[in-house]
Amino acid sequence: MPTILVTGGAGFIGSNFVRYWRREHPAWEIVVYDKLTYAGNRNNLHDLEGQPGFVFVQGDICDREQLEPWVAKADIVVNFAAETHVDRSLLASGDFVRTDVLGVHTLMECARKHGTGLIVHISTDEVYGPILSGSADEKAVLNPSSPYAASKAGGDLLALAYAKSFRVPVIITRCCNNFGPYQHPEKLIPLMVTNALMDLPLPVYGDGRQVREWIFVEDHCRALDFLIEHGTPGEIYNIGTGCEKQNIEVVRLILQFLGKPESLIRFVADRPAHDRRYSVNWEKLRKLGWEPIHEFESALAQTVAWYRDNEWWWRQIRDSEEFKRYYEANYAWRLK
Ligand code: NAD
Ligand code: TYD
């Protein structure tokens, strides 16, 4: 039985990928290796727990001794493990450097030693920094603005260096903003949906006209599956959709889907160094034959309905002391 190792598989995209992989490749064993930080959640994998061919390991990607045998056993590794939230990286960034840079280094060292078949390292379009016009292709200069984006750029470049120096067969992907079920309620869409469901104010940073390119998480999973089959190790692939929206447009749509009033919107102090726009050129991937299949508004409506119907999932996170501390630090002063 071939094995796929999914590091960070208890997070948002990782858990959606695991579910996707199980459905599309049922003959594979799936090992999820995840530290279970505040963002990792076994509830994200509740329907897979206990199934034959599904293994969960609680472990840190920086712990070489624990990680190495799992990398040695794997035919494919997909690395989602990371600290991922820009606002948290502005409050404290040590864990970002540790996991997003040193964690990638540890994974690369394990792969170098054991000659794993293929590694897909998940990077982000945020490494390009703000793109005020046009779109960033894979050769664009890296110009990260936040400690999160800078740490991701560091890990991304290390992975590339291991491909060049040691022929570690790693593909780097840089995807745009994801949305869908099981996304931590610190991120824009789930935060706005859950606040609206609780009739709390919706904190929109600055003028709300910042632009993000959005992909439904299942399309991201499809792109990763496609690249596992058709991608070339040592190469970088942007993953995008061309679907660009201002934050305020997204927030208004959410309110509309929930039948809640726009009076809930509160324009609050902006994020420092807030990137005005992200936009990726993903022609390289399109030319290989991949296209997104989900349309933004219907996928957003489906996502909003998922949060409305799965309060059991988000309520536990929102009620946790950890989340309350974060909310207080990031929003209390903004909402005064
Ligand atoms: P997430 O925060 O929901 O999940 C991250 C997961 O990594 C969690 O399960 C967490 O427990 C785990 N983790 C953190 N530190 C770890 C460590 N030291 N060892 C092992 N596991 C650890 O993040 P996400 O949104 O699912 O993002 C996954 C990846 O995709 C990240 O690399 C992120 O940079 C990238 N990405 C995300 C987006 C997006 O819109 N969410 C877009 C492009 C790229
Ligand atoms: P986020 O989900 O944090 O993703 P990223 O910053 O990595 O793109 O934020 C998406 C956009 O929404 C970004 O422009 C910041 C904005 N935003 C708000 O206006 N208010 C909020 O409370 C949050 C979390 C984000």
Side-chain angles (χ1 to χ4, degrees), residues 85 126 177 186 188 191 203 205 212 247 271 274 331:
H85 191 38
E126 298 200 28
N177 280 63
E186 67 193 358
L188 176 75
L191 183 98
Y205 295 155
R212 294 292 181 267
N247 293 335
R271 190 185 258 180
H274 193 173
Y331 293 107

Side-chain angles (χ1 to χ4, degrees), residues 102-155:
L102 295 179
V104 179
H105 180 254
T106 310
L107 177 61
M108 290 302 131
E109 279 292 310
C110 295
R112 177 186 170 194
K113 183 166 166 194
H114 293 285
T116 301
L118 178 67
I119 303 187
V120 181
H121 172 66
I122 312 299
S123 185
T124 166
D125 65 350
E126 298 200 28
V127 297
Y128 297 122
I131 305 296
L132 299 182
S133 61
S135 300
D137 68 15
E138 289 83 353
K139 292 192 174 69
V141 171
L142 302 194
N143 182 27
S145 302
S146 67
Y148 160 63
S151 306
K152 289 297 292 185

